[in-house]
Amino acid sequence: MKKKIMLVEDDGGILDVMKVVLEMNGYEVICASCCAIAKKEQHKAPDLYILDLWVGRSDGSKICSCLKKDIKTRHIPVMLVSASRDLKAVAKKVGADDYLEKPFEIDDLLTKVKKLVRGRIPSAG
Amino acid sequence: MSTQDGVRESGLDIVGQIPWGTHFCNFYKTQEDLSDILVRYFKAGLEGNEFCVWVTSEFLTKEEALLSLEKKVPGFSGYLKKGQIEIFPYTEWYLKKGKFEMNRVLNMWLAKYKEGLKKGYDGIRVSGNPFWLESKKDWDDFSQYEASIDNAIGPSKILVLCTYSLDKCSGEEIIDVVKNHQFALIKRNEWELIKSAEQKKVEAKLDASEKRFNSTLDNLLEGAMIIDSQFKYLYVNNSLARQGRTSKEKLVGKTMIEIYPQIEKTGVFRHLKDCMEKRTAEVFETEFVFPNGETGWFEVSVQPVPEGLFILSADITEKKKVEDERRKLDQLKDDFLGIAGHELKTPLTSIKAYTQVLYKIFSQKKDKTAQMISRMDNQVDRMIAIIRDFLDITKIKEGKIKFSMRSFNFSAMVKEAVDEVQSISGGYKIQKRLPESLAVFGNRERLEQVVVNFLTNAVKYSPEKSRIIVKAKISAENLEFSVRDFGKGVPEGTEMKIFERFFRAEEGRKNVNGLGLGLYISSEIIRRHNGKIGVRSAGGKGSLFYFKIPLKVKK
């Protein structure tokens, strides 16, 4: 069974290429370009969230906080992605499991994703 | 009547006006001479709103004094009735308790002075007569007392006239008396004013020095003023009048509040009030709004003086304007760089990712496509390095880089950095000369940035793959770190410049990423550690980059 990743990113170009890369490497990717969609799709319970720090008017760090507070989602790993240099500090503050600075090497992306979803039983549905 | 602040009418033609604090004497032969001088002296005092105290002697008694005053001073009974003048026989003053005591008498005068001020008089005018002096000891005691008067009255609003009987004084005693007074009056046919040669010399010097001082002050480029405790302008120089958009004549004699009705609500006034009350000096910059709405910036230096405050002010409006413009431009530029940097990274992220996807796809084929794509990826990296430099520089300039300082093993950090650089720069032989453990207090991440910067520079600027030596040691409470390479070295005369923004040695320009901001950023990081950064170059035989930081950081 394929591992499922929910990708929330407002830049179409980045969203597109990350989807390509992750799918090429055997993951199922659900994309959301804004928080509203991300919330709507939440019931699909992915194996990993990849959140951009700035998503439209909202921001990934808030989604991360919410996910980590909710008993139903707190066990799902979250990785924050951003071009911001404060990323490391923000990630620590909101309890993200990992972070990746933009622009990134796709090898780094894949290594981190692999590590985060490893051992997780693929979600049903 | 007073004409100018601090200057009084003596009532004596030959003396004219005298400042507060004047202590002079008169030698008399006849009762008429004595009475003539003292009546005129006190008449001026009474008419000038001064509190008057006359201590009489047997040569001219209290009763005789009252008679003369009544005869010569119009409205004298009025002055006497309201207590503006008090007359004491010497037995109730100098010899009140049977004998003369210097401190008691000085305190009696000062008590009268305070009483006079309390009653609302401008100051006090007194006269005493030591006609009662008999023995040599009396003379010596009184002489000492006379010498103390100048110190006791200091800058107080007191005038003192001592009267001496010429017949009772020996030659030596006359010399004592003249010495103890600022000047003496004596009658030889006409009244004459005698000053000791010493006094004259001092006064001449003072006069010259005061003239020089006044002319300097008048024409100073800075504005200068003296204000009294009621914020009244006592002195104003030319520049100050210009700064105040008015003239000297309009200011002197008026209070600040009269000239600038809104001033009490301003910061300037609060500062001045504070200095006035606490008697403290202060230097501050302030914006001032003139009654016509114009504004100006001034640098003000305040110094308490006996009269009130001495204030220097420099008009820095133009300087402030320029500074303000520059700050705004700097902010605009930094904002722009920050936003532009972030916005540029977004498309680069997808370009880079696509490039790498393509590389993966084409790397299985046997043509040169993958190689070309890899070059593309390198170029993207170069652009990313430029943007990183931009962002670092804006943050450093804004002071936004946070330096959380802690203790860490410097050697371990250097080893990690060397391994990292070694892994991407095969062929170079990087030798480490480090102690096993080296505890340093600082920001690990930022110091690592400096170490990596030194190492990558060493690699970049020594294209012939050769040795690089990395050294760290403790020396005299400092950590000393250096990276030595055997490349082309730093061009002569540019040793200091390479730490400036955007400088790069021209020869090494090819194959180098970024903007050449690396060393500038490094120098900022070392500066924030209170350290020193530098380079020693041996012409074509390579260069040695080093930094020193104190082990104990002063907070």
Side-chain angles (χ1 to χ4, degrees):
Chain A
M1 186 92 67
K2 279 183 180 176
K3 304 266 172 118
K4 200 156 66 187
I5 297 169
M6 180 169 287
L7 192 56
V8 186
E9 162 70 61
D10 68 343
D11 183 83
I14 297 175
L15 191 73
D16 197 37
V17 71
M18 282 176 86
K19 188 171 189 285
V20 170
V21 170
L22 292 168
E23 282 175 352
M24 270 171 70
N25 285 273
Y27 298 101
E28 184 189 339
V29 180
I30 312 161
C31 291
S33 60
C34 68
C35 297
I37 299 172
K39 275 178 193 151
K40 215 171 93 189
E41 304 279 320
Q42 208 170 310
H43 65 280
K44 289 182 182 167
D47 296 287
L48 169 69
Y49 283 99
I50 298 178
L51 308 173
D52 182 27
L53 211 51
W54 291 333
V55 191
R57 279 186 205 150
S58 181
D59 99 44
S61 65
K62 278 192 196 137
I63 308 174
C64 181
S65 290
C66 288
L67 290 170
K68 289 298 175 187
K69 270 179 207 151
D70 191 335
I71 197 154
K72 282 177 279 179
T73 52
R74 65 172 8 147
H75 60 283
I76 305 171
V78 177
M79 178 160 78
L80 292 183
V81 186
S82 172
S84 160
R85 278 241 168 155
D86 304 326
L87 180 60
K88 188 177 175 178
V90 175
K92 205 176 157 191
K93 200 175 134 201
V94 298
D97 298 83
D98 208 343
Y99 64 91
L100 182 64
E101 201 180 307
K102 286 180 191 171
F104 48 80
E105 302 285 331
I106 59 172
D107 285 344
D108 288 345
L109 169 70
L110 292 170
T111 313
K112 282 179 191 272
V113 168
K114 198 172 165 188
K115 198 181 80 197
L116 288 167
V117 300
R118 187 193 300 152
R120 283 187 55 83
I121 302 157
S123 333
Chain B
M1 237 175 294
S2 72
T3 52
Q4 191 186 327
D5 248 61
V7 175
R8 318 300 298 182
E9 284 302 335
S10 67
L12 313 169
D13 293 343
I14 190 165
V15 177
Q17 293 182 337
I18 46 178
W20 284 125
T22 301
H23 174 208
F24 64 115
C25 66
N26 134 274
F27 291 101
Y28 59 85
K29 269 191 164 170
T30 66
Q31 199 193 44
E32 202 193 338
D33 288 350
L34 180 61
S35 162
D36 177 43
I37 286 280
L38 286 175
V39 167
R40 281 194 277 156
Y41 172 69
F42 282 115
K43 179 173 180 271
L46 291 169
E47 286 167 354
N49 191 38
E50 294 170 20
F51 186 40
C52 299
V53 180
W54 180 350
V55 179
T56 58
S57 66
E58 280 167 355
F59 196 78
L60 179 75
T61 63
K62 180 175 173 179
E63 290 67 31
E64 288 163 334
L66 281 167
L67 272 174
S68 320
L69 285 165
E70 255 163 39
K71 210 189 288 174
K72 302 252 175 73
V73 182
F76 178 73
S77 56
Y79 293 124
L80 190 65
K81 206 171 163 191
K82 68 170 177 171
Q84 194 180 340
I85 184 161
E86 291 181 4
I87 303 176
F88 297 94
Y90 70 100
T91 45
E92 283 173 31
W93 196 266
Y94 296 116
L95 302 181
K96 197 177 179 185
K97 296 203 168 153
K99 62 171 185 165
F100 177 75
E101 284 168 273
M102 181 173 103
N103 288 332
R104 177 178 54 81
V105 174
L106 284 174
N107 284 334
M108 282 165 78
W109 287 126
L110 288 174
K112 282 289 166 203
Y113 171 54
K114 282 180 194 154
E115 188 188 327
L117 290 185
K118 215 172 157 190
K119 285 179 176 167
Y121 296 109
D122 291 357
I124 182 173
R125 172 177 304 230
V126 309
S127 179
N129 189 332
F131 189 74
W132 45 273
L133 292 176
E134 292 296 340
S135 66
K136 172 83 176 81
K137 181 172 185 312
D138 281 350
W139 252 110
D140 290 348
D141 285 355
F142 200 77
S143 201
Q144 198 193 338
Y145 155 82
E146 284 275 36
S148 309
I149 285 182
D150 287 327
N151 282 335
I153 62 179
S156 307
K157 292 170 177 177
I158 303 184
L159 299 177
V160 184
L161 169 56
C162 305
T163 54
Y164 286 86
S165 159
L166 199 54
D167 293 335
K168 280 195 83 175
C169 292
S170 68
E172 203 178 316
E173 284 161 356
I174 290 175
I175 294 168
D176 272 349
V177 172
V178 172
K179 206 174 113 190
N180 280 334
H181 294 84
Q182 290 161 16
F183 55 89
L185 299 175
I186 195 161
K187 197 171 186 182
R188 292 189 301 191
N189 299 324
E190 288 295 311
W191 284 106
E192 284 178 45
L193 196 148
I194 307 163
K195 277 183 190 176
S196 69
E198 200 184 339
Q199 180 77 23
K200 276 186 203 160
K201 243 192 256 170
V202 169
E203 277 178 13
K205 264 192 188 166
L206 265 175
D207 198 44
S209 146
E210 198 182 336
K211 272 186 189 142
R212 199 162 49 231
F213 175 71
N214 280 342
S215 120
T216 310
L217 206 56
D218 278 345
N219 299 304
L220 208 61
L221 278 175
E222 281 178 301
M225 61 177 138
I226 298 170
I227 53 169
D228 72 3
S229 57
Q230 305 306 308
F231 299 91
K232 187 161 82 186
Y233 293 99
L234 299 181
Y235 168 82
V236 166
N237 77 348
N238 298 327
S239 293
L240 193 103
R242 260 200 309 279
Q243 284 176 9
R245 324 286 199 257
T246 178
S247 68
K248 280 182 176 185
E249 293 69 30
K250 282 187 182 151
L251 290 176
V252 173
K254 294 267 177 53
T255 68
M256 282 186 166
I257 298 141
E258 286 168 326
I259 304 284
Y260 306 109
Q262 299 293 313
I263 201 170
E264 278 180 287
K265 292 174 194 153
T266 64
V268 194
F269 195 76
R270 274 195 296 279
H271 275 291
L272 295 182
K273 212 171 158 214
D274 211 46
C275 292
M276 193 75 90
E277 279 163 10
K278 295 182 185 150
R279 310 302 297 151
T280 48
E282 212 182 319
V283 177
F284 57 90
E285 282 184 6
T286 186
E287 192 176 18
F288 191 76
V289 183
F290 290 96
N292 66 1
E294 247 181 84
T295 61
W297 272 91
F298 296 92
E299 188 179 355
V300 183
S301 153
V302 187
Q303 188 71 41
V305 289
E307 297 92 322
L309 297 176
F310 176 69
I311 302 164
L312 281 174
S313 85
D315 189 335
I316 52 165
T317 311
E318 280 307 307
K319 195 181 117 197
K320 277 276 165 187
K321 255 189 217 159
V322 172
E323 268 176 22
D324 222 46
E325 292 280 300
R326 201 171 51 207
R327 214 178 4 253
K328 274 186 202 151
L329 272 177
D330 261 9
Q331 187 56 47
L332 211 64
K333 185 194 71 199
D334 288 348
D335 285 352
F336 171 76
L337 281 178
I339 293 166
H342 193 272
E343 290 303 305
L344 286 171
K345 274 184 180 179
T346 303
L348 274 177
T349 304
S350 35
I351 292 171
K352 184 165 173 63
Y354 277 125
T355 312
Q356 293 186 345
V357 171
L358 285 176
Y359 178 80
K360 291 222 168 178
I361 295 169
F362 284 98
S363 59
Q364 281 122 31
K365 300 196 173 165
K366 292 222 162 81
D367 59 13
K368 285 191 169 175
T369 321
Q371 202 189 335
M372 286 190 276
I373 294 171
S374 164
R375 281 184 193 158
M376 232 165 94
D377 190 41
N378 284 339
Q379 292 307 309
V380 173
D381 283 345
R382 213 174 130 182
M383 192 143 176
I384 293 167
I386 292 172
I387 294 165
R388 284 225 169 101
D389 275 0
F390 260 133
L391 291 185
D392 267 351
I393 210 91
T394 24
K395 282 194 180 172
I396 277 189
K397 277 215 62 210
E398 289 169 48
K400 275 188 187 161
I401 287 191
K402 287 182 198 127
F403 280 74
S404 51
M405 304 284 201
R406 63 190 169 83
S407 194
F408 67 95
N409 184 351
F410 187 80
S411 293
M413 180 271 277
V414 173
K415 273 176 207 154
E416 278 172 33
V418 167
D419 288 348
E420 195 186 315
V421 174
Q422 184 84 73
S423 72
I424 52 166
S425 320
Y428 286 89
K429 193 163 179 267
I430 306 179
Q431 297 174 343
K432 289 170 282 192
R433 296 185 189 163
L434 309 164
E436 191 55 36
S437 171
L438 209 168
V440 165
F441 189 78
N443 184 294
R444 192 186 200 272
E445 290 70 34
R446 290 296 164 190
L447 287 177
E448 184 172 356
Q449 196 178 340
V450 179
V451 171
V452 170
N453 175 236
F454 279 9
L455 285 168
T456 47
N457 275 343
V459 170
K460 280 176 205 168
Y461 292 102
S462 54
E464 278 91 59
K465 310 209 179 246
S466 59
R467 267 198 318 160
I468 291 168
I469 304 168
V470 177
K471 247 194 243 180
K473 64 171 181 180
I474 303 276
S475 149
E477 303 288 297
N478 284 308
L479 160 73
E480 284 186 23
F481 174 79
S482 66
V483 172
R484 167 105 170 86
D485 69 58
F486 297 86
K488 288 181 174 168
V490 177
E492 213 169 311
T494 62
E495 285 88 347
M496 295 311 292
K497 281 192 196 148
I498 57 172
F499 295 99
E500 288 169 11
R501 287 168 93 167
F502 306 118
F503 181 84
R504 187 154 57 201
E506 279 305 315
E507 291 167 64
R509 219 181 161 85
K510 280 175 209 157
N511 306 320
V512 175
N513 280 349
L515 278 174
L517 289 172
L519 282 172
Y520 170 70
I521 293 166
S522 290
S523 74
E524 285 294 308
I525 292 170
I526 297 303
R527 193 177 61 80
R528 296 276 283 268
H529 282 81
N530 300 316
K532 254 187 172 174
I533 195 165
V535 64
R536 278 193 285 273
S537 180
K541 290 172 199 150
S543 46
L544 177 103
F545 281 86
Y546 66 90
F547 69 75
K548 275 186 206 179
I549 55 173
L551 289 174
K552 280 177 197 151
V553 179
K554 281 177 224 149
K555 253 276 156 186

